[in-house]
Amino acid sequence: MQLCHTSAATSAVFDDPNLVSSAGLVPVISLATAAGLRELAQQHLSVPTDKGANAGLKVTSLVAGMVAGADSIDDMALLRHGGMGRIFGNAYAPSTLGSFLRSFTFGHVRQLDAVASRLLINLGDQTPLLRVDDRVDDEVGGRVMVDIDDTIIEVHGYAKQGSSYGYSGVRGLNALLATVSTTQSAPVVVAQRLRKGSCGSPRGAARLVADTLKTVRSLTSAAPLVRFDSAFYGHATVAAALRSGADVSVTVRMDPKVKAAITTISEDAWTPIAYTDAVFDEQSRTWVSRAEVAEIPFTAFSSKKASEQVPGRLVVRRIPDLNADKLAAAGQETLFDVWRFHAFFTTTDHDLADTVVADKTHRGHAIIEQVHADLKNSALAHLPSGKFTANAAWLVLAVMAFNLTRTAASITGPALAKATTATIRRKLIAVPARVASSARRITLHLPVAWPWETAWTNLFNQACGPPPAPTT
């Protein structure tokens, strides 16, 4: 690629009042309107004084800015350029939106949580966000996967209220998220909490699990399986999931009881699995792998009273110890194989998920890390305020923008249904257009030969309705 003209023959002037840089906001905000975002925020938010006036419009402005790529309050100026005023009304100034967020208390953040969950349910009514396949092949078919995990959002300086050094060694604030997904559908965020940076992972997780599963029940009738890592292995969190009718799959810490249980597994009980560097042998139709799995019956929390003990299965994966392999390469062979063990506890029935399937399903918990990375590459690149509750509200708004973007992509078809937010924004949202009006109708003139024209048109037609039939 090269310039068609010399630099001396090229100039740039910011003088066109009819151009917009994010024409994809038109169908996306139509989706939000159909899902009742403005009405939900107006109904549930009670932020006091004039700063909380017109809460529905202000929440919609913040979500729209995040969908368009804003990751700070100043970036909300994206909504007030060129011809945006001709296709959107009441786009608030960044300073007004910042004052609105700083007026939030913890109670108002919980009100915004209620808006987010109801918005997700309404979006699910517009398009199937959770497609469930009842067939059982090598996955747990007919189920939805609920993943719970936390992440540190890095901040800089001491002005951020609640920030401190947590388990990652990074100064920041702790965000606890819950996602729901299926083997056919990309994850959406069901619940969220912002906590101080030094907060332990399981704090408040039981309440979040209960809230999450209540929303999941409204999204789908499929049975949920809740997956955690070892930080959430505790009676309160596991019991909250079981009380809501879900099964659990949770990594366990290698305490003496778990180690003792592993020693009771017989050598012929181990089954090779498809793992890193595994090779499939066509003749035997089996995986040749040094990673193996086995299981035994196990009762979690046996130190508690009988009513609080949880029966299930302990699934153990073993892989060769890399240090032993290095010693062997150096000519210092070990007298016997040395293994590293990774175990998790699950309440799923063996007939639904055997040992190999249960292990593969549990490893799928890593999908929530992709959601963390996606959010941090979008609206959570920064937590823009020095006030903790304003940042907590920002997290909820970022989740609403994430789910709204995912819904828009799902409408266009499978090609973008599992894409990242950045990809969806580049192909569907950040599309330049010229705004023209004729006979009181607005027409968006988009670039000719836009590579994703079909996907964009599908989204526009569903969100805004098909174009009128030509008349003679």
Side-chain angles (χ1 to χ4, degrees), residues 118-133:
R118 287 165 174 77
L119 175 67
L120 179 59
I121 293 170
N122 292 346
L123 289 174
D125 292 337
Q126 296 190 45
T127 185
L129 291 175
L130 297 175
R131 294 180 174 87
V132 179
D133 190 348

Side-chain angles (χ1 to χ4, degrees), residues 442-465:
I442 293 291
T443 301
L444 298 176
H445 294 275
L446 292 91
V448 68
W450 184 254
W452 306 281
E453 176 184 348
T454 300
W456 198 97
T457 303
N458 290 340
L459 172 61
F460 183 85
N461 288 344
Q462 176 158 336
C464 302

